[in-house]
Amino acid sequence: MRMTGWGTGALFAMVLVATTGALPAVAGTQPDHSGHGAGATYFIDCGSGSDSASGKSPGSAWDSLEKASSVTYAPGDRILFRRGSTCDGVFTPSGSGVEGSPIRVDAYGQGGKPRIQGGGARAAVLLENVEQWELRNLDVSNQGAAPGPEERRAGILFRLTDFGTGEHYVVDDVDVHDVNGSDHKDPDPSGGILFVVRGTATPTRFDGITVTDSTVKHVDRTGISTASSWGKRPEHPNSGAPGWAPNTNLTIRNNKVTDVGGDGIVLQHGHHALVEHNYVDGFNRRSAGYNVGIWAWNFDDAVYQYNEVTGGHGTLDSQAFDFDGGNNRNVYQYNYSHDNEGGFLLVCNATGMTSADNVFRYNVSINDRNTWSPPYGVISVVCPAATTNTQVYNNTVVTDQEGTAMVSDNGKGGVAFRNNIFVSTAEGGSPIIDALNTYDHNLYVGVGTVPARDAHAVTADPEFLDTTPDSPRDLVLRHGSAALGAGTAIDNAGKHDYFGNRLQGTTDIGAYQRPGPR
């Protein structure tokens, strides 16, 4: 399968959703106009510095993470690690910045990113009960002896315990790799870049998380995630938590997550997030649990767009995307999924939870599959409770994989499929095993019996540009395709399709909408 790069849809489409603000400048490149003062600058040069030095210049740099962790830092302070250096141990600083004057960690000098090697600690970088921190230009690993079943490890761990609201956390251009933690996801996880809320006495949450232009490689269990002990609300009444303190205002952009034991990117317990232009390749590689490429749990009002997910492994879930328990008003759009063993989309509400009004549109799936028994599908609606008003429209799904269903449902329903293209070129086809969900104006090829409930079904060849597609561009419709003009209009359908073509006039079936006058 030909790879097409990070967030393939970005090649053809403009961003719909703006971020909540511009990213702060890299430490040391801009003056501080906050009114809080410039703060102090500290230099660390592991192997060549001296812990008895002042740490206030490159020539008087400190030598160890222990020394760098002994200071209580103040607003506007900068902690700079020498490029090309390697620091063994853990970085556990204290102190908080304030709005407009965060504490910044960055690199100085020439060469590769400075390395922090945790050696099997709880975390190589642990920021505990602090706020207003920014981390940039670091190389972080935390490889130790084979972990015991309860031995959690992380690369970078932000952790709040009975803290209240912590604000402004930035991770930018950081490489996290080789973290061999135990197989734990929530509430006290292992993984690459983690934001964790603990405690039961004071409602506690993160407000303002930004993770951008970073890589996470070969970690267990999770690539990038949030977790919380404050997840109880009417939509999740049986959580066992003391109440609801949602994590808010998250931006996860332009990251590359590869070879993770469990989930790629997962957001838990919160609302308002933008997850875009990320590339996930290789997830659920080593976990015994249920894992998905990019998804959320107990989370509302998230937008996932221009992401590419591939390499999902195993039979327990392993889908690219997921509407799970307690997901409300979430939108997946302009994403590309391919070659995942668990399939394209999971719709999976949990018993006693509310998942409603979610939208999945203008996404593309090529050669995803799911052969788990009982029969799951490229799209699976298979969990204990029904969703409410889940809208799946104008997606293009093609597969050449043997022994997989196209769509399957275990008897709960709640999904409306409209204007989708479903094409199977596998020998024997890919059946739709679904007696409950609604279908209208979809195009079907190679799915066996077309759902009788689709009164406007189209069964003709969609006439893709390439009859054996292995990239989204191959799925553009030729002139004269039976899918052109054969869809049904949908309210609030967005402004453009997967390829950046503006929606206008009549509606086509699939992720491609013909440009120009109709």
Side-chain angles (χ1 to χ4, degrees), residues 315-337:
T315 55
L316 296 180
D317 288 359
S318 302
Q319 290 86 0
F321 309 113
D322 176 16
F323 293 124
D324 217 287
N327 284 189
N328 300 280
R329 300 177 304 280
N330 294 335
V331 177
Y332 285 96
Q333 58 188 9
Y334 319 128
N335 300 289
Y336 175 36
S337 168

Side-chain angles (χ1 to χ4, degrees), residues 47-124:
S48 299
S50 171
D51 285 349
S52 62
S54 69
K56 295 298 184 66
S57 70
S60 60
W62 293 329
D63 183 61
S64 71
L65 293 172
E66 182 179 9
K67 180 65 175 180
S69 300
S70 68
V71 175
T72 299
Y73 296 99
D77 283 355
R78 297 183 301 163
I79 304 101
L80 304 182
F81 290 85
R82 184 178 67 82
R83 288 183 175 274
S85 66
T86 298
C87 297
D88 291 315
V90 297
F91 181 45
T92 58
S94 58
S96 290
V98 296
E99 185 177 359
S101 191
I103 298 168
R104 297 179 172 96
V105 179
D106 210 325
Y108 75 97
Q110 302 296 316
K113 294 176 182 177
R115 297 179 178 179
I116 298 176
Q117 300 180 158
R122 177 62 187 93

Side-chain angles (χ1 to χ4, degrees), residues 118-299:
R122 177 62 187 93
V125 177
L126 174 60
L127 292 167
E128 181 96 44
N129 278 0
V130 298
E131 61 181 334
Q132 296 284 342
W133 277 78
E134 300 179 358
L135 307 180
R136 289 186 170 86
N137 296 305
L138 300 176
D139 181 292
V140 178
S141 62
N142 194 13
Q143 184 81 15
E150 299 299 322
E151 194 169 359
R152 295 155 170 84
R153 293 174 183 160
I156 297 172
L157 173 58
F158 294 87
R159 190 163 64 188
L160 301 178
T161 304
D162 292 326
F163 181 82
T165 298
E167 298 182 342
H168 188 78
Y169 302 85
V170 172
V171 178
D172 178 57
D173 198 11
V174 169
D175 299 323
V176 178
H177 57 94
D178 298 304
V179 179
N180 61 334
S182 58
D183 190 12
H184 287 89
K185 172 162 53 181
D186 189 31
D188 190 15
S190 291
I193 301 172
L194 308 177
F195 298 84
V196 175
V197 170
R198 303 192 306 175
T200 59
T202 302
T204 297
R205 67 190 184 95
F206 290 95
D207 179 41
I209 291 172
T210 302
V211 181
T212 53
D213 296 301
S214 296
T215 67
V216 177
K217 181 179 181 180
H218 191 60
V219 304
D220 293 311
R221 167 188 190 196
T222 302
I224 301 170
S225 81
T226 64
S228 177
S229 58
W230 286 86
K232 185 175 184 177
R233 59 176 179 147
E235 293 85 353
H236 187 18
N238 302 320
S239 72
W244 176 239
N247 298 310
T248 53
N249 300 316
L250 287 71
T251 300
I252 314 295
R253 177 189 295 120
N254 240 26
N255 303 289
K256 185 176 182 180
V257 178
T258 59
D259 187 20
V260 291
D263 296 300
I265 299 171
V266 55
L267 308 181
Q268 301 187 75
H269 311 297
H271 60 76
H272 289 94
L274 177 62
V275 181
E276 65 176 4
H277 298 293
N278 300 288
Y279 175 56
V280 177
D281 182 3
F283 61 94
N284 202 21
R285 304 298 298 177
R286 293 170 293 277
S287 174
Y290 295 85
N291 299 282
V292 170
I294 299 177
W295 70 290
W297 170 264
N298 199 26
F299 207 101

Side-chain angles (χ1 to χ4, degrees), residues 367-371 375-379 397-408 422-434 439 443-451:
N367 296 337
D368 288 322
R369 61 195 180 279
N370 194 322
T371 59
Y376 281 36
V378 177
I379 298 176
V397 185
V398 299
T399 187
D400 62 4
Q401 299 297 298
E402 304 289 338
T404 190
M406 182 66 72
V407 182
S408 65
F422 298 117
V423 173
S424 173
T425 60
E427 184 177 352
S430 302
I432 292 178
I433 307 172
D434 181 6
Y439 292 79
L443 184 150
Y444 309 89
V445 174
V447 302
T449 302
V450 171

